[in-house]
Amino acid sequence: TTHDTFNMTTETAASLSLPGMPSLPNGASAQNTTHSYIHAGPGKQTKVRKITWSTDAAETLPGTSSRNAEHKSGTGNETKGYFTQGGSSPGPCYSGSDRVTYASDTIERVPGADMVGGRPGKFGSVASGNQETGYFMGGGGEWPGFPNYSDTNKLTYATDTNANCPAQMPTGMSMYSGSSASSSTAAYASNYRNPSFHSKVFKLVFATDTIDTVGNTTVQRNGPAMGGNGTTMYMGGGSNFPNGDRSDFDKLVYSTDTISNLPDANLQSARYYTTGSGQRGERIPVAEQPTATPTASTFPSLNPALNVNAVFASGQSPSATVNTRSKFTFSNETMASMPAFSDKITVCGGCIEYY
């Protein structure tokens, strides 16, 4: 069984040891900043695996999904993940959805999140999203005929409800068993077929629910593994039929939508339909540091060691100059009178002394 990890800082790949984990092909993943949840494996699966980013340790959750299927789709936010639909040959494809609650690692059926669109179901949809919504793009249809679809479903996490989305693949295009990663503004998806495999990358813009064509991978990559961070998406492996499988990576920079090849970053072996999952920091809202409210201990001072009292001295009254002085104590924010100057001094605007 072969697993790999990709370091997005150094842009290098290395082998990953996950004792007890089977191979995880044809799968789906959902992730947050601390864990990845993967619903994959040989044959039709009901088990969900959990990987902890900080330790690279893996375990299998105790529960099961509602139906055994393959080529499921997965997405989620910081608190929960969703695994939906899948192939169930020789029966019809499945359209049901299950939710994993990360805090308790529990799996439960959520009928409101089932795929919609008037079909018995589909499999291999490309799924991604942001903190509020998930998107399921395209997918394969039921046997016989093996149709492929270009429509999109949109899942609202707050209500666990799914609905048709206006985002559609370009005319004549269909998405099937591809991969996806997200920036804070858009989901990027690769691999479509109609009827043969191609190499385009599409972008679904969250604000408008529209799909744009970004460009082409550097080589044809059917079924690559995909993950990313706040600035960049990486695609590793994939089938380049009839020219064999790939082990190298392509890189997509979100700010410019440019794609380049990383020939020195390679999986342990050339393969496709590998399940990818990237740590999800890029989709977490970043809270700015709050502006501190001044208190007795935070008033500015020319010398913090002297930040105890302030003296307000002299000044100009409506009729004459004055020689009064007052002392402000920071610790209790009170003002008190002090002995006056012996002479009247005109100081426009007064003066402040810290001590």
Side-chain angles (χ1 to χ4, degrees), residues 72-281:
K72 289 192 174 184
S73 303
T75 188
N77 60 12
E78 183 65 9
T79 60
K80 53 190 176 181
Y82 297 82
F83 296 104
T84 187
Q85 59 194 3
S88 299
S89 177
C93 293
Y94 183 49
S95 62
S97 294
D98 297 282
R99 182 184 66 210
V100 178
T101 301
Y102 300 150
S104 58
D105 282 349
T106 54
I107 307 169
E108 59 185 311
R109 176 89 166 86
V110 279
D114 291 358
M115 293 295 101
V116 298
R119 296 184 299 276
K122 54 186 178 179
F123 64 99
S125 291
V126 179
S128 192
N130 55 23
Q131 282 292 300
E132 292 76 38
T133 52
Y135 294 84
F136 299 85
M137 295 169 271
E142 309 77 34
W143 296 95
F146 195 60
N148 296 290
Y149 299 107
S150 58
D151 63 324
T152 299
N153 275 195
K154 180 177 180 178
L155 172 63
T156 302
Y157 301 142
T159 58
D160 287 345
T161 53
N162 220 325
N164 283 313
C165 176
Q168 298 283 314
M169 301 301 295
T171 301
M173 304 300 177
S174 57
M175 188 71 72
Y176 162 67
S177 289
S179 299
S180 182
S182 294
S183 69
S184 59
T185 59
Y188 290 78
S190 178
N191 182 39
Y192 72 94
R193 51 180 292 170
N194 186 37
S196 59
F197 298 118
H198 297 270
S199 57
K200 291 190 181 299
V201 177
F202 298 101
K203 177 171 72 174
L204 190 156
V205 181
F206 298 141
T208 58
D209 283 350
T210 54
I211 291 179
D212 297 326
T213 301
V214 174
N216 293 284
T217 53
T218 60
V219 295
Q220 180 176 282
R221 294 184 186 275
N222 170 41
M226 191 176 293
N229 56 21
T231 61
T232 310
M233 178 183 77
Y234 298 91
M235 296 168 278
S239 170
N240 190 22
F241 181 83
N243 299 313
D245 300 335
R246 306 290 303 188
S247 64
D248 60 334
F249 282 77
D250 275 357
K251 169 183 176 179
L252 187 153
V253 178
Y254 298 141
S255 61
T256 58
D257 284 349
T258 54
I259 303 169
S260 59
N261 185 251
L262 301 175
D264 296 327
N266 287 276
L267 300 171
Q268 296 175 73
S269 61
R271 58 193 192 272
Y272 66 104
Y273 286 175
T274 302
T275 303
S277 182
Q279 192 170 6
R280 189 184 180 139

